[in-house]
Amino acid sequence: MNFVVLTIFPEMFNPFWEFGIIRRALLRKKISALTLNIRDFAKGKHRITDDRPYGGGCGMVMKPEPLAGAIRAAKKKVPESKTILLTPQGRTFNQNVARELASFDGLILISGRYEGVDERICHDYIDYEISIGDYVLTGGELAAMVVIDAVARLIPGVLGSSDSAEKDSFSCGLIEHAQFTRPRTFEGEDVPEVLVSGNHGEIEKWRFETSLIRTFLKRQDLLKNRSLSSQEIEILKKWCRDIEKIINSGGKRGRFSKVSNNHH
Ligand code: 4FV
């Protein structure tokens, strides 16, 4: 996967390439990365990349010519690539979109500044408009980093063998189960017994159930537009029965007896 970032602040990406899994993936040539300064494609002595909006109004707009020049140059370097404009008007980024983008050979990420880019660039040069969330940033650079980070870790060989993207949160539309590591007891709280039992069948079952309950408690929106597996339906029905029992017994015994109480 080849990443090309178009920005007027290429230095912002220097630290991004130099740490963690992204750095390792670059060193292992699992991904390649390049930044192009949009200003290098601006004409005139002052190489301006922005101008006042037609029709008046506050702020400045990024001029189309430098952007078009930079996109053409990037396309020369990574012909088989998709162009992505990071903008609040875009499709909301999530793990499904990350998986889709990871299927391409290359991504050219355009980081806007000011009030945004001249709309004519969107018409003729942009394959995807992507938003990382319903809020307004001062520039698209951070959004480009978010997209690169989430897509890069889905590229085969980027994540070590031990940590696979398959088991990620959202990989099956649920949020991940709780994670624990040493010490076995921390400030009086023990790690759930099942996790030190060595019984991998029980551990997988526990992880699946806690992943489902966490999604139920924290992100019910994820459950709403999701087709439930028979196993999930069975577990949810068991909880309903548990809850019924508690209601019927006037709540004396306390919640979720079977499922240990530190899965929140
Ligand atoms: C943004 C977002 C975002 C808008 C104007 C940059 C700013 C400025 N990009 N997801 N939310 N971009 O706020 O991707 O050009």
Side-chain angles (χ1 to χ4, degrees):
M1 166 64 83
N2 305 299
F3 295 106
V4 181
V5 180
L6 309 186
T7 169
I8 59 172
F9 297 131
E11 307 80 358
M12 277 181 75
F13 290 81
N14 295 348
F16 177 64
W17 310 129
E18 280 154 23
F19 292 91
I21 286 174
I22 298 294
R23 171 187 162 75
R24 188 180 67 186
L26 287 166
L27 292 172
R28 291 180 176 174
K29 303 215 173 322
K30 298 295 180 187
I31 63 172
S32 76
L34 170 69
T35 52
L36 292 179
N37 189 332
I38 297 165
R39 200 174 295 289
D40 296 344
F41 300 88
K43 300 272 177 297
K45 178 154 67 51
H46 304 294
R47 302 192 306 152
I48 57 164
T49 60
D50 62 303
D51 202 341
R52 286 176 294 104
Y54 271 117
C58 63
M60 301 293 269
V61 175
M62 292 194 91
K63 289 171 62 58
E65 311 96 318
L67 282 167
I71 292 170
R72 279 196 293 272
K75 278 277 184 186
K76 275 210 193 77
K77 293 180 186 301
V78 279
E80 289 320 304
S81 56
K82 294 290 182 191
T83 55
I84 296 177
L85 173 64
L86 290 307
T87 168
Q89 288 114 34
R91 182 178 160 197
T92 302
F93 189 58
N94 60 28
Q95 198 66 6
N96 292 335
V97 178
R99 261 194 292 274
E100 189 179 329
L101 297 178
S103 67
F104 299 121
D105 295 349
L107 298 177
I108 298 170
L109 300 113
I110 294 107
S111 309
R113 279 271 153 180
Y114 317 110
E115 299 312 307
V117 306
D118 185 291
E119 188 66 16
R120 290 164 288 186
I121 285 290
C122 306
H123 299 161
D124 312 327
Y125 289 85
I126 301 298
D127 299 309
Y128 285 84
E129 291 190 18
I130 301 263
S131 168
I132 62 166
D134 296 344
Y135 39 81
V136 181
L137 304 169
T138 61
E141 284 79 8
L142 295 177
M145 292 179 200
V146 166
V147 170
I148 293 169
D149 193 283
V151 170
R153 59 189 297 290
L154 298 176
I155 304 300
V158 167
L159 287 185
S161 54
S162 57
D163 40 359
S164 81
E166 266 68 49
K167 291 210 307 319
D168 273 348
S169 278
F170 311 110
S171 58
C172 57
L174 298 177
I175 57 180
E176 209 170 1
H177 53 75
Q179 298 279 12
F180 297 86
T181 186
R182 285 179 291 197
R184 178 96 169 256
T185 304
F186 172 68
E187 294 180 354
E189 187 177 353
D190 292 341
V191 167
E193 206 49 45
V194 64
L195 295 180
V196 290
S197 68
N199 177 333
H200 293 292
E202 279 304 309
I203 291 169
E204 271 325 297
K205 190 166 167 301
W206 180 89
R207 283 181 166 169
F208 182 74
E209 264 198 36
T210 52
S211 172
L212 192 55
I213 190 122
R214 286 156 72 84
T215 308
F216 174 76
L217 293 168
K218 299 178 181 221
R219 292 292 310 277
Q220 260 176 48
D221 60 300
L222 292 174
L223 287 180
K224 286 212 175 60
N225 44 28
R226 182 177 186 285
S227 56
L228 295 169
S229 69
S230 55
Q231 196 192 5
E232 288 160 355
I233 290 169
E234 202 26 60
I235 291 167
L236 290 168
K237 281 187 173 156
K238 180 171 72 54
W239 289 336
C240 296
R241 288 194 298 275
D242 281 356
I243 293 165
E244 281 308 320
K245 275 196 226 107
I246 292 166
I247 294 164
N248 304 341
S249 65
K252 285 200 200 54
R253 262 182 317 113
R255 220 151 47 92
F256 296 119
S257 56
K258 178 142 174 358
V259 181
S260 67
N261 59 10
N262 60 3
H263 56 251
H264 291 305

